[in-house]
Amino acid sequence: MDGWTQTLSAGPLLGIAAAAIALLLVLIIRFHLHAFPTLVLVSLLTAFATGIPAGAIVDTMTDSFAGTLGSVALLVGFGAMLGKLVEHSGGAQVLAERMVSLFGESRAPFALGIASLIMGFPIFFDAGLIVMLPIIFAVAKRLGGPVLLYALPAAAAFSVMHVFVPPHPGPVTATELYGANLGLVLLVGILIAFPMWYLSGYLWGRFAASRFDFKLEVSLFGGQDNDTIENPPSVGTVIALLLLPLALIFLNTGLDFARAAGVADSDATWFQFLSSLGETPIALLISVLVAIYVLGSRRGEGGSALEKIVDSSLGPICSVILITGAGGMFGGVLQASGIGDALSDSMSNLGMPVIVAAYLVAVVMRLAQGSATVALVTAAGLMAPAVASGDFSAMQVVAITLATAAGSVFAGHVNDSGFWLVGRLLGMDVKTTLMTWTVQQALESMVGFLLAGVVYLLF
């Protein structure tokens, strides 16, 4: 790819991207082809159509695939192991029973969403969702309601926190690029997180569940009848195991926050060691090892039995991992083709208010290449000179930062690895995922932009 320059303008590139997405949807929805080979095929055709050099196409595809799997495979794999151990031991059922008794059946979706908002402060979207899934599935099985009633509010909560609230990498990087006050971004992000989640996650989740009222049949973690569970762990033990990866990850994100605030030296040995322990894959690995001891060995499970339990968690997630990786491949090809850069350059020169331009540039980047973090960071980089040269108050710069974050989450679809992750984990087909999760992401984006606009106008 070195030395190659895209010669196509934004118009043809946009047409190619639209045709690729349409072909992908037709092949999967109309002709029922499996999503994994279909994504690889459409990625290949898109690479040829956009003029990526033939000798670089395979490397572009495999690099994007590997880049996605490098994070997703470890998170989903360790998360599935942790979930299986919690489910097999009866811990998920015990915690679900306690939540229902405390909050009541009618408020269970709200309680799951609030718990996910709290958990989502230090933990990344995909890892948080994986950790919460056994509890979500246990509540859905216990109450027998539509799985989306419990899953969508939780998934939306993790999305809101990941996109809008430091110390997650997207908002932290955008804050630095815009020169915004990190403490103000954190404060305002937390204040708008709840109404944003309530409107676009909780209320939309209830509505979507009424339209798509499929029940949980076989969850990612399997399941077993209550009478087969002997000596289940206490609620406190289960909560402690679920909080362990959060505590370790919060250690990492807290250190990164301290680095960004200039109060910690990232070159110090102690900083790097503690940061390594708090990296999400390492945190989940440690949590799995502790769960094996606490929920397995300590409760009398033999070595071979434990091995079979852990191994049984990996089979159901193979399809999830491969399809998610292929979704990342498709997004990577679109990004390598230059479509996002061409469209965002065109958008940034339209002469509209900076906060609106920042939002729209982020929307274009999100739709073009899929990744919310890439869309947020790229849009912030493009709009930073305009913000620096403008006469904006500290709160207005915060509002522009959050408006850019809002644009970066708009309508995640087939080129977003998160789209495939959510859809496959919840057992939805592509059409249902588009009509539930993609709409939720669009609502989250628009509500977030409106709230950022209110902050911009008031301050």
Side-chain angles (χ1 to χ4, degrees):
M1 293 289 286
D2 292 339
W4 175 72
T5 302
Q6 177 59 265
T7 58
L8 296 176
S9 62
L13 285 172
L14 180 60
I16 292 171
I21 293 170
L23 176 62
L24 184 64
L25 294 177
V26 168
L27 291 176
I28 293 175
I29 296 175
R30 176 68 179 83
F31 294 100
H32 305 289
L33 296 183
H34 193 277
F36 177 57
T38 305
L39 280 163
V40 176
L41 173 62
V42 174
S43 297
L44 178 63
L45 295 176
T46 303
F48 278 119
T50 55
I52 294 176
I57 288 177
V58 174
D59 286 342
T60 300
M61 293 172 62
T62 54
D63 288 348
S64 301
F65 184 75
T68 303
L69 287 189
S71 58
V72 170
L74 290 174
L75 299 186
V76 175
F78 287 137
M81 288 180 180
L82 180 60
K84 182 65 177 180
L85 288 165
V86 172
E87 185 279 329
H88 179 82
S89 67
Q93 185 66 29
V94 167
L95 187 54
E97 294 283 355
R98 178 61 62 87
M99 288 187 67
V100 172
S101 66
L102 286 176
F103 298 100
E105 295 185 8
S106 63
R107 289 188 291 274
F110 185 85
L112 285 169
I114 294 296
S116 299
L117 280 173
I118 296 171
M119 291 176 65
F121 182 74
I123 197 169
F124 286 6
F125 166 77
D126 39 13
L129 183 59
I130 286 289
V131 170
M132 274 296 289
L133 274 180
I135 311 305
I136 294 169
F137 289 155
V139 172
K141 183 178 178 180
R142 160 71 171 77
L143 300 180
V147 66
L148 291 183
L149 180 63
Y150 311 101
L152 269 185
F158 285 115
S159 174
V160 166
M161 299 301 287
H162 184 80
V163 172
F164 290 91
V165 180
H168 292 284
V172 167
T173 305
T175 297
E176 294 176 345
L177 289 170
Y178 280 134
N181 183 293
L182 190 61
L184 286 178
V185 173
L186 174 62
L187 176 63
V188 178
I190 291 175
L191 289 176
I192 70 173
F194 178 79
M196 197 185 322
W197 164 78
Y198 186 81
L199 294 172
S200 68
Y202 176 68
L203 294 183
W204 170 249
R206 297 187 70 90
F207 176 78
S210 68
R211 297 286 301 276
F212 303 92
D213 58 349
F214 58 93
K215 306 294 194 295
L216 182 68
E217 296 179 358
V218 179
S219 79
L220 181 71
F221 310 103
Q224 57 188 55
D225 297 331
N226 293 341
D227 57 8
T228 66
I229 300 175
E230 299 179 359
N231 188 28
S234 66
V235 172
T237 298
V238 178
I239 292 176
L241 285 172
L242 294 179
L243 289 179
L244 176 59
L246 267 67
L248 291 171
I249 292 168
F250 186 75
L251 175 67
N252 177 275
T253 50
L255 287 171
D256 191 57
F257 184 86
R259 176 203 58 78
V263 298
D265 180 12
S266 61
D267 294 327
T269 302
W270 66 268
F271 184 99
Q272 296 177 3
F273 175 74
L274 293 178
S275 293
S276 298
L277 292 181
E279 291 288 347
T280 305
I282 305 302
L284 286 174
L285 170 61
I286 293 172
S287 302
V288 168
L289 295 177
V290 173
I292 288 174
Y293 172 72
V294 173
L295 300 180
S297 301
R298 191 176 179 184
R299 298 174 62 249
E301 294 276 7
S304 59
L306 270 176
E307 181 186 4
K308 290 179 180 178
I309 293 168
V310 173
D311 184 68
S312 68
S313 69
L314 299 179
I317 66 169
C318 287
S319 178
V320 174
I321 291 174
L322 289 174
I323 292 172
T324 302
M329 175 194 294
F330 183 44
V333 168
L334 289 175
Q335 185 176 352
S337 72
I339 180 175
D341 293 337
L343 289 174
S344 59
D345 287 343
S346 300
M347 290 294 301
S348 62
N349 295 320
L350 294 182
M352 59 184 64
V354 170
I355 189 171
V356 177
Y359 174 75
L360 293 179
V361 169
V363 167
V364 168
M365 287 300 301
R366 164 70 159 176
L367 294 176
Q369 55 75 47
S371 168
T373 300
V374 171
L376 174 52
V377 172
T378 303
L382 287 169
M383 298 304 301
V387 174
S389 62
D391 184 20
F392 300 107
S393 68
M395 285 298 290
Q396 286 178 325
V397 177
V398 168
I400 293 171
T401 303
L402 295 175
T404 311
S408 73
V409 77
F410 185 84
H413 60 99
V414 292
N415 64 353
D416 175 25
S417 60
F419 171 90
W420 298 100
L421 187 67
V422 171
R424 295 295 157 165
L425 289 176
L426 300 184
M428 296 187 289
D429 58 25
V430 173
K431 183 178 179 180
T432 304
T433 311
L434 286 169
M435 298 178 70
T436 55
W437 180 247
T438 299
V439 174
Q440 187 282 321
Q441 295 280 271
L443 291 172
E444 181 181 324
S445 172
M446 291 185 287
V447 173
F449 177 64
L450 290 175
L451 293 174
V454 170
V455 173
Y456 183 87
L457 293 175
L458 291 179
F459 299 98

